[in-house]
């Protein structure tokens, strides 16, 4: 089955272990050509969900489909999967290892070698090609693990904590590679505890808590859904007068800066007008919550 450009969908997924329900009616859609971030606290159900998608675990009930058709083993051969725990052979050389994984997925020797060369260069590992994995730093081992998930040109990507242990430069490198895959029409689902990265690069976000999906949708739509009218002002003077302004609730203040909630836009405009009359206004703008703010609100 040609999976590129198709929709991966979970509906009504339930799963229990030893009588304890760990997934409760999980529904999730990963659309083609989009980066979908999957976030939740430890034990929330992210890895179990991913393993069900890959067929490593079976659901007690519910369905996993690709463009409406149930997934079968041959479809999953075209998936790229990166587990949170490294699945590499520590004594095998980096290039040999990637070529081996490519061949396992059905690529011929020439294609496996070519793909390995390209990925090593793109992920900044070309100089490490002949080194055993165990000799690499943990960050470089993580990059090899990412390469292993990509080396067979997968048509769906499922990645568990791909940015874990990476320095900012490596994060940027891996992000660029994954974004390029999404641009080709590949559905990309990845979990991460690094909410700043998810917020920066994801088109869609799903938040899971205690086995249930608590929020799911486009990143900016979620920010709008979970935000109340808040504003931020930078002012060249004292902002103590904000606390007594009608219709405002001051959330935080610092030297020359304040963030406040307004009952309605008119109250915010009145505060701005007063600020203009009292001194220089450096900036004034609506403020939306970060993904970290939304996450904290949801899991409480």
């Amino acid at each position: 089955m040609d999976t590129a450009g198709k929709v991966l969908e979970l509906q009504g997924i339930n799963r229990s272990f030893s009588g304890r329900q760990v997934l409760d009616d999980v529904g999730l859609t990963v659309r083609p050509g989009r980066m979908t971030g999957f976030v939740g606290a430890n034990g929330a159900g992210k890895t179990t969900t991913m393993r069900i998608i890959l067929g490593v675990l079976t659901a007690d009930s519910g369905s996993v489909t690709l463009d409406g058709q149930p997934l079968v083993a041959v479809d999953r051969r075209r998936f790229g999967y990166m587990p949170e725990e490294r699945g590499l052979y520590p004594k095998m050389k980096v290039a040999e290892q990637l070529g081996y994984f490519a061949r396992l997925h059905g690529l011929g020797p020439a294609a496996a070698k070519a793909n390995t060369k390209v990925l090593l260069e793109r992920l900044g590992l070309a100089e490490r090609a002949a080194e055993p994995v165990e000799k690499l730093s943990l960050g470089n081992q993580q990059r090899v693990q990412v390469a292993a998930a990509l080396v067979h040109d997968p048509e769906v990507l499922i990645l568990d904590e791909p940015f874990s242990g990476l320095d900012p430069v490596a994060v940027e490198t891996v992000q660029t590679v994954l974004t390029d895959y999404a641009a080709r029409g590949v559905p990309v689902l990845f979990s991460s505890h690094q909410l700043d990265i998810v917020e920066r690069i994801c088109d869609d976000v799903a938040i899971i808590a205690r086995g249930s999906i608590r929020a799911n949708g486009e990143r900016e739509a979620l920010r709008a859904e979970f935000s109340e009218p808040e504003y931020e002002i930078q002012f060249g003077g004292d902002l103590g007068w904000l606390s007594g302004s009608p219709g405002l609730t001051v959330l935080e203040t610092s030297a020359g800066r304040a963030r406040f909630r307004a009952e309605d836009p008119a109250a915010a405009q009145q505060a701005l007008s007063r600020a203009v009359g009292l001194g220089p206004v450096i900036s004034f703008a609506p403020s939306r919550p970060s993904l970290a703010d939304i996450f904290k609100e949801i899991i409480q």
Side-chain angles (χ1 to χ4, degrees):
M1 179 187 293
D2 179 12
T3 57
K6 296 191 176 182
V7 177
L8 176 68
E9 188 167 18
L10 285 71
Q11 292 184 323
I13 297 293
N14 292 282
R15 172 74 197 208
S16 297
F17 292 109
S18 302
R20 182 176 68 89
Q21 189 160 9
V22 296
L23 295 180
D24 182 8
D25 195 32
V26 167
L28 179 63
T29 300
V30 187
R31 292 182 282 171
R34 297 179 71 84
M35 301 274 283
T36 299
F38 192 28
V39 301
N42 289 331
K46 301 186 301 297
T47 297
T48 299
T49 301
M50 290 182 159
R51 288 175 175 171
I52 287 173
I53 294 172
L54 270 295
V56 177
L57 294 173
T58 58
D60 297 332
S61 59
S63 64
V64 183
T65 61
L66 201 63
D67 259 15
Q69 298 300 312
L71 278 178
V72 294
V74 69
D75 302 329
R76 291 184 169 105
R77 286 195 68 188
R78 300 302 303 149
F79 280 34
Y81 175 50
M82 178 183 163
E84 183 177 10
E85 60 282 351
R86 292 190 175 93
L88 302 172
Y89 298 102
K91 297 188 180 301
M92 187 179 287
K93 294 177 182 178
V94 171
E96 290 177 1
Q97 185 146 198
L98 295 180
Y100 173 70
F101 286 133
R103 296 294 302 277
L104 282 180
H105 282 277
L107 270 64
K113 184 176 181 179
N115 284 9
T116 295
K117 184 175 186 295
V118 168
L119 277 172
L120 289 177
E121 290 174 352
R122 293 207 65 195
L123 289 168
L125 292 167
E127 294 181 357
R128 306 283 188 242
E131 295 184 25
V133 169
E134 65 183 0
K135 298 295 185 181
L136 303 183
S137 68
L138 292 178
N140 280 336
Q141 288 183 28
Q142 183 77 348
R143 284 196 261 191
V144 175
Q145 187 76 71
V146 171
L150 303 175
V151 72
H152 57 292
D153 284 332
E155 294 165 346
V156 176
L157 276 174
I158 309 293
L159 310 170
D160 203 349
E161 296 288 347
F163 299 102
S164 178
L166 297 181
D167 62 39
V169 173
V171 166
E172 189 75 20
T173 299
V174 171
Q175 171 191 325
T176 299
V177 172
L178 296 183
T179 302
D180 286 349
Y181 271 82
R184 297 185 207 169
V186 174
V188 180
L189 174 69
F190 75 90
S191 71
S192 181
H193 286 98
Q194 294 156 284
L195 299 182
D196 58 326
I197 296 174
V198 175
E199 184 164 22
R200 187 170 71 246
I201 72 174
C202 282
D203 305 291
D204 303 312
V205 178
I207 300 176
I208 188 170
R210 292 181 287 279
S212 298
I213 300 293
R214 303 298 177 87
N216 186 16
E218 293 186 3
R219 179 192 59 202
E220 292 308 309
L222 287 180
R223 292 181 69 184
E225 177 184 348
F226 285 89
S227 65
E228 295 185 43
E230 293 181 7
Y231 300 84
E232 186 171 300
I233 185 171
Q234 284 188 285
F235 181 68
D238 179 63
L239 284 166
W241 54 269
L242 268 178
S243 298
S245 299
L248 301 187
T249 302
V250 177
L251 302 173
E252 61 176 286
T253 59
S254 59
R257 175 186 167 277
R259 185 168 62 90
F260 62 90
R261 186 169 295 150
E263 290 182 356
D264 53 50
Q269 288 300 318
Q270 288 173 2
L272 175 59
S273 296
R274 185 175 179 187
V276 169
L278 291 172
V281 175
I282 300 166
S283 67
F284 180 85
S287 173
R288 282 189 173 181
S290 67
L291 182 58
D293 294 331
I294 295 171
F295 180 74
K296 290 174 187 176
E297 179 180 339
I298 286 174
I299 66 172
Q300 285 178 350

